[in-house]
Amino acid sequence: MTIDITATTITAIIAAAVIVVDIIVRVIAVIVVPRNRRPTAGMAWLLAIFFIPILGILIFLLIGNPKLPKGRREKQAQVDEYIRESTHGVERVSDSTKWPTWFDGVVRLNRNLGAMPLIGSNSASLIGDYEGSLAAMTEAIGKAERYVHVEFYIFAYDRTTAAFFDALGEAVARGVEVRVLLDHIASARVAGYRKTIERLDAMDVRWQLMLPVQPFRGKYQRPDLRNHRKILVVDGEVGFMGSQNIIDRSYNKPGNIRRGLKWKELVARVEGPIVSGLEAIFATDWYLETGEAPMREIVPLGQESEAQDLDCQVVPSGPGYTSENNLKLFLALMYAARERIILTSPYFVPDEAMLRAITGATQRGVHVELFVSEIGDQALVYHAQRSYYEALLRGGVKIWLYQAPYILHSKHFTIDDDVAVIGSSNMDIRSFELNMEVSLLVRGASFVREMRAVEDGYRRDSRELTLDEWMRQPIRSTVLDNLARLTSALQ
């Protein structure tokens, strides 16, 4: 007996096999993709896989896991436990009877999530001038006697940062230990990366890439999980942290230079025991990247600073943690606010929880303002951000557009009259889930007054966006905004 298999039969078999495989892939996707993922993110991934299955699956396999490898997360947990144990009882804080009634709960939340304690007797000042902050950091490095620890998302040697690099080289020459951490992908993407590395080597600086994507060297994780922190610590006595990278304010990009774009930043200079908190973040990241455990920098507390007597708490966050530490802090503060919330974020793409917290605040009578840039440097994020303007405006939020050609890159907010947060974290899904960030919670009326002065300056250089103006947006802009909003959920 012979079996006559015609071309039609073969085609039918192949078609049936394709349909079966397609169904199996979709069923597996429904089971696997939404697990431990935000509903919006899960839905966005499923739509991508259903409508563009081959490409959608490939992208999901490449960037579908929002966490760092298990081994790294376990090391982070071990370090956090060490910090909790070694800092037990060190909370030298101001008179807690003057705290808002809700503040203690927020402090406990941060301690449980990020391990770091609230510490009193600190001083802090704000630097909003781009070149001024570089000069202040350079001056501090010039006075270093023991060590300088540098950790930045983007670290580039150029004409603007040359003095900063020179100060590092001079510190090494006089016997100061200098260690530098720079994010691999972010720093490699800017002009002059090779020159930066050559300069570090020439100065005998000890440097290490953060989250390197080097698969042939056995170093790989989801490539868009990045270390976005910006920290400088000198001798454990003075620290700097905030939004500013070490690079020219144009980021040395031809497109930015052609458009005349300039970045507007805010950096906090801190003194007192809290500097040890910033040092602990650096020491942890150095350990996670090199395997070296410089624990001596984690435990000792710096000298007290009575000038302002600020209570401060360092809050680390990122894909090395099981929870979104920064998002939970932000939400707790927004729900706690009684009078006002003033937000500044260059990339404002809130999740559902944050959007409800903000609009809920206005509905209970809290005055809410949001400072964002009038123009954007990243088209996708810029349009995703704009998609929330109507809901915010209708919810009673006052939106200020910081006018071109400046990109308002500062990241901070104030709650009522005595609590503020400043750091590296934007208010978007990327900063909540994919980036390693560091935030500084500060309780102290003097610091908030200084922050208010910064906000007043933003107001003078901004224009208010009204609902009437926004509703006159052309339909093409609305379509772009909504499409960008959908893609922002693919985390």
Side-chain angles (χ1 to χ4, degrees):
M1 178 185 292
T2 60
I3 299 176
D4 184 18
I5 301 177
T6 65
T8 302
T9 304
I10 294 174
T11 302
I13 293 173
I14 294 174
V18 169
I19 292 173
V20 170
V21 170
D22 182 67
I23 292 173
I24 291 173
V25 168
R26 292 171 187 262
V27 171
I28 292 174
V30 170
I31 296 171
V32 172
V33 171
R35 185 178 181 184
N36 298 323
R37 197 181 299 272
R38 297 170 185 271
T40 51
M43 182 61 70
W45 276 116
L46 288 175
L47 287 173
I49 292 171
F50 282 16
F51 283 103
I52 46 173
I54 297 176
L55 182 60
I57 292 171
L58 290 175
I59 295 175
F60 180 78
L61 292 174
L62 180 65
I63 64 171
N65 183 3
K67 294 296 181 184
L68 288 169
K70 182 180 178 181
R72 179 155 181 146
R73 284 182 278 128
E74 289 175 346
K75 288 182 179 179
Q76 179 71 65
Q78 292 169 3
V79 173
D80 287 349
E81 186 59 31
Y82 174 85
I83 292 174
R84 288 190 188 94
E85 293 176 355
S86 61
T87 57
H88 180 71
V90 305
E91 294 90 342
R92 304 196 300 249
V93 297
S94 62
D95 185 0
S96 60
T97 62
K98 298 179 181 179
W99 291 357
T101 56
W102 46 263
F103 189 69
D104 182 64
V106 173
V107 171
R108 284 202 307 273
L109 170 73
N110 296 334
R111 179 73 148 155
N112 290 332
L113 295 177
M116 305 297 288
L118 180 78
I119 304 176
S121 302
N122 303 287
S123 292
S125 58
L126 296 172
I127 309 172
D129 175 67
Y130 198 100
E131 286 75 18
S133 62
L134 284 173
M137 288 187 279
T138 301
E139 180 182 6
I141 294 169
K143 297 177 180 178
E145 298 179 353
R146 294 181 292 133
Y147 65 84
V148 176
H149 290 164
V150 182
E151 177 174 349
F152 283 87
Y153 177 60
I154 296 177
F155 192 70
Y157 176 61
D158 57 35
R159 288 183 298 178
T160 300
T161 64
F164 184 99
F165 276 75
D166 290 343
L168 293 178
E170 292 164 3
V172 173
R174 62 177 184 270
V176 174
E177 176 191 69
V178 177
R179 290 188 284 187
V180 172
L181 288 169
L182 61 155
D183 185 81
H184 181 201
I185 299 299
S187 294
R189 288 187 307 185
V190 300
Y193 172 68
R194 185 179 297 276
K195 184 168 63 174
T196 298
I197 299 304
E198 291 173 351
R199 183 79 170 98
L200 291 174
D201 286 337
M203 297 186 301
D204 289 329
V205 169
R206 295 189 64 196
W207 62 272
Q208 179 67 39
L209 298 175
M210 295 188 291
L211 299 179
V213 180
Q214 299 168 323
F216 296 113
R217 299 184 185 179
K219 299 177 180 179
Y220 184 80
Q221 71 285 314
R222 174 174 167 172
D224 62 337
L225 300 182
R226 307 309 330 147
N227 193 319
H228 195 242
R229 294 166 181 159
K230 294 98 176 171
I231 298 171
L232 170 67
V233 178
V234 178
D235 290 342
E237 302 294 334
V238 60
F240 296 82
M241 59 91 67
S243 64
Q244 187 168 335
N245 291 295
I246 304 299
I247 191 171
D248 182 82
R249 69 188 307 181
S250 69
Y251 279 62
N252 298 317
K253 293 183 178 180
N256 294 346
I257 296 171
R258 184 172 60 254
R259 297 170 64 190
L261 301 185
K262 298 178 181 180
W263 266 242
K264 178 70 174 176
E265 309 283 1
L266 191 65
V267 172
R269 182 187 187 278
V270 298
E271 293 182 88
I274 196 59
V275 177
S276 297
L278 296 177
E279 181 60 35
I281 301 301
F282 176 90
T284 299
D285 287 343
W286 184 267
Y287 164 61
L288 292 175
E289 298 298 352
T290 67
E292 301 175 17
M295 293 303 181
R296 65 178 177 82
E297 288 95 347
I298 292 183
V299 181
L301 299 180
Q303 297 296 315
E304 295 185 11
S305 177
E306 301 292 348
Q308 291 175 279
D309 196 22
L310 301 176
D311 297 323
C312 300
Q313 187 175 30
V314 173
V315 183
S317 59
Y321 292 88
T322 58
S323 179
E324 298 102 341
N325 301 356
N326 48 354
L327 174 59
K328 289 186 176 180
L329 165 62
F330 297 171
L331 291 176
L333 291 175
M334 290 174 187
Y335 278 113
R338 296 294 178 267
E339 297 177 4
R340 71 183 75 178
I341 302 172
I342 311 296
L343 308 168
T344 302
S345 180
Y347 311 118
F348 185 81
V349 186
D351 68 349
E352 295 91 337
M354 176 166 282
L355 189 61
R356 290 192 180 98
I358 292 173
T359 55
T362 61
Q363 290 165 354
R364 65 175 186 269
V366 177
H367 177 79
V368 181
E369 296 183 44
L370 170 65
F371 288 96
V372 293
S373 295
E374 180 181 41
I375 57 176
D377 66 304
Q378 298 184 28
L380 198 61
V381 180
Y382 173 67
H383 283 287
Q385 172 176 290
R386 285 163 47 93
S387 72
Y388 291 91
Y389 286 172
E390 181 178 349
L392 292 168
L393 290 167
R394 290 190 184 279
V397 177
K398 183 173 287 191
I399 299 177
W400 296 94
L401 303 179
Y402 199 83
Q403 297 193 61
Y406 293 94
I407 299 294
L408 183 59
H409 194 245
S410 307
K411 311 158 198 299
H412 52 84
F413 65 101
T414 50
I415 300 294
D416 297 340
D417 291 327
D418 58 356
V419 176
V421 174
I422 184 171
S424 65
S425 180
N426 299 304
M427 293 184 179
D428 66 353
I429 298 172
R430 165 161 290 282
S431 283
F432 298 148
E433 292 194 0
L434 306 183
N435 286 342
M436 297 171 69
E437 308 282 6
V438 61
S439 303
L440 183 68
L441 174 69
V442 182
R443 193 216 64 83
S446 61
F447 186 80
V448 175
R449 283 195 296 271
E450 190 173 357
M451 191 76 83
R452 290 274 183 261
V454 171
E455 294 163 355
D456 289 342
Y458 292 168
R459 228 173 261 110
R460 288 192 296 269
D461 294 329
S462 302
R463 66 178 184 85
E464 184 178 357
L465 176 66
T466 65
L467 182 60
D468 287 343
E469 176 189 347
W470 183 249
M471 296 310 294
R472 293 195 297 270
Q473 291 292 314
I475 187 65
R476 65 178 182 277
S477 296
T478 302
V479 171
L480 285 173
D481 296 345
N482 291 338
L483 287 175
R485 181 169 178 167
L486 286 174
T487 61
S488 70
L490 290 174
Q491 309 297 348

